[in-house]
């Protein structure tokens, strides 16, 4: 029975890594014009989380079987291994090379996982952009034919960052449309030309004029440029500088032992579940707040705890 549970834990771990790898890399490469809900990614996320829980359940069950067997046979050893890993045959799953393969696989995925919330947020664009994309948004260059209530917006140092106004716009096809709360770098004037994101099939949604680049919300090509590339590099450097050295410093047998401790490994699906529920609105498009409130939330609720978890596991292995 214990052997079966060990294999359940192994297979579910590999399955969870594979499923979550596909989901994370896929989500990281989504173009800004992708429409929500992202049903496939949501399903992959749930499958991956479920496999993580299956692995932990198998670890707890295997531990219970080992404890019961020891009591019957009066064994005192708490290890499922007969000796140090470095003396094992390399072809066994608990051999040193396989331990480092498993650790490397996880470490390669972690920077993508940590940068994922920022990538999803960049793809989302907020409630207004989301509604336009789902209605078939197009990007046009319009001419300003009327300006109302233009107001300079200043930062905390009193420097003007942009202008907020209501603009009446003439589209290339001769149509007229009003952009309420338009943002422009310069004070808008008649005959200025501006980028406008709007949905011809749903004019009631109104157009958007922003200082940010709106073209990314109509392009669906896969890209890791801009903010996503910065986030990936940032977290990649962080893991290389902090998590990787700690993991390398710990010996393979310590890492392997920690990977089979049910209590320590339970932290992984618990955190993964909480964080998946936290970022799930970015997949479904339901329940997302303003862009200003989302970004700190997804970073505070995802990237930082993820970093702390794996730093903690590495330190635990190092100090055992």
């Amino acid at each position: 029975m214990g052997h079966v549970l060990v294999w359940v834990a192994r297979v579910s771990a590999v399955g969870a890594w594979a499923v979550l790898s596909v989901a994370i890399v896929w989500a990281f490469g989504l173009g800004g014009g992708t429409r929500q809900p992202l049903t496939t990614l949501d399903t992959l996320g749930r499958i991956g989380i479920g496999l993580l829980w299956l692995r932990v359940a198998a670890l707890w069950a295997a531990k219970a079987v080992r404890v019961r067997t020891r009591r019957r046979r009066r064994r005192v050893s708490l290890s499922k291994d007969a000796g140090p890993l470095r003396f094992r045959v390399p072809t066994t799953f608990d051999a040193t090379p396989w331990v480092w393969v498993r650790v490397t696989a996880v470490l390669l995925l972690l920077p993508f996982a940590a940068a994922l919330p920022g990538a999803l947020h960049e793809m989302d664009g907020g409630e207004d952009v989301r509604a336009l994309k789902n209605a078939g948004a197009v990007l046009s260059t319009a001419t300003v034919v009327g300006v109302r209530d233009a107001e300079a917006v200043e930062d905390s140092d009193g420097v003007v960052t942009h202008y907020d106004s209501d603009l009446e716009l003439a589209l290339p096809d001769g149509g007229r449309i009003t952009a309420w709360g338009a943002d422009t770098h310069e004070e808008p004037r008649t005959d200025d030309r501006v980028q406008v994101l709007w949905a011809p099939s749903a004019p009631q949604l109104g157009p958007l004029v922003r200082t940010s680049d709106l073209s990314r919300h109509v392009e669906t090509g896969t890209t890791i440029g801009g903010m996503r590339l910065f986030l990936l590099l940032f977290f990649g450097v962080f893991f290389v500088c902090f998590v990787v050295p700690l993991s390398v410093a710990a010996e393979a047998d310590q890492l392997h032992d920690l990977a089979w401790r049910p209590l320590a490994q339970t932290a992984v699906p618990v955190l993964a579940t909480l964080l998946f529920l936290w970022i799930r609105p970015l997949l479904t498009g339901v329940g997302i707040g303003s862009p200003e409130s989302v970004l700190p939330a997804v970073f505070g609720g995802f990237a930082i705890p993820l970093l702390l978890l794996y730093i903690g596991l590495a330190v635990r292995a190092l100090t055992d």
Side-chain angles (χ1 to χ4, degrees):
M1 181 63 180
H3 184 69
V4 173
L5 291 171
V6 167
W7 272 103
V8 170
R10 286 171 174 166
V11 173
S12 59
V14 173
W17 186 89
V19 170
L20 292 176
S21 295
V22 171
I24 289 172
V25 176
W26 186 351
F28 199 79
L30 287 174
T34 306
R35 299 184 184 184
Q36 294 161 305
L38 305 173
T39 306
T40 303
L41 290 179
D42 184 37
T43 301
L44 288 175
R46 284 182 286 168
I47 293 174
I49 299 298
L51 288 172
L52 288 178
W53 279 110
L54 177 60
R55 173 178 178 264
V56 169
L59 291 179
W60 281 109
K63 181 178 180 180
V65 170
R66 290 197 302 271
V67 170
R68 184 176 60 185
T69 301
R70 288 194 194 99
R71 287 176 179 175
R72 288 178 178 178
R73 299 180 181 179
R74 295 182 179 180
R75 291 181 178 179
V76 296
S77 174
L78 297 179
S79 173
K80 76 181 191 71
D81 299 323
L85 290 180
R86 55 182 175 271
F87 298 121
R88 290 236 174 230
V89 179
T91 56
T92 61
F93 281 97
D94 52 358
T96 298
W98 281 110
V99 173
W100 287 112
V101 166
R102 298 198 300 266
V103 171
T104 301
V106 173
L107 293 182
L108 286 175
L109 188 61
L110 285 180
F112 282 93
L116 176 62
L120 287 174
H121 175 264
E122 184 184 21
M123 179 274 296
D124 178 68
E127 183 177 355
D128 293 338
V129 171
R130 192 181 319 125
L132 289 172
K133 285 195 299 185
N134 291 336
V138 297
L139 188 68
S140 301
T141 299
T143 301
V144 177
V145 294
V147 180
R148 286 178 289 177
D149 301 325
E151 181 180 355
V153 179
E154 300 177 349
D155 60 17
S156 58
D157 297 324
V159 178
V160 175
T161 58
H162 64 277
Y163 287 83
D164 187 4
S165 58
D166 299 330
L167 302 178
E168 185 178 355
L169 305 173
L171 298 172
D173 62 3
R176 296 290 183 94
I177 195 168
T178 301
W180 307 100
D183 294 336
T184 55
H185 289 292
E186 305 292 338
E187 183 176 0
R189 301 181 185 279
T190 303
D191 294 331
D192 284 351
R193 295 176 67 81
V194 295
Q195 260 191 351
V196 55
L197 187 71
W198 66 297
S201 62
Q204 70 277 8
L205 294 176
L208 286 181
V209 176
R210 296 286 183 264
T211 54
S212 58
D213 181 16
L214 294 172
S215 64
R216 60 191 177 93
H217 296 304
V218 294
E219 297 172 353
T220 56
T222 301
T223 176
I224 60 171
M227 180 60 70
R228 302 179 203 202
L229 181 58
F230 168 78
L231 293 172
L232 179 59
L233 291 175
F234 175 82
F235 287 112
V237 170
F238 186 95
F239 275 101
V240 168
C241 293
F242 293 95
V243 181
V244 172
L246 290 172
S247 298
V248 171
E251 295 182 3
D253 56 347
Q254 295 168 328
L255 292 171
H256 178 74
D257 180 62
L258 184 64
W260 287 88
R261 293 186 187 181
L263 184 58
Q265 294 304 309
T266 299
V268 176
V270 168
L271 180 60
T273 301
L274 292 175
L275 302 180
F276 176 70
L277 293 176
W278 201 321
I279 69 171
R280 192 165 180 260
L282 290 167
L283 301 178
T284 63
V286 178
I288 302 178
S290 64
E292 292 76 13
S293 65
V294 171
L295 197 55
V298 294
F299 275 112
F302 189 93
I304 295 176
L306 185 66
L307 298 176
L308 294 179
L309 170 65
Y310 280 92
I311 288 177
L313 291 176
V315 171
R316 177 70 180 275
L318 181 61
T319 56
D320 277 351

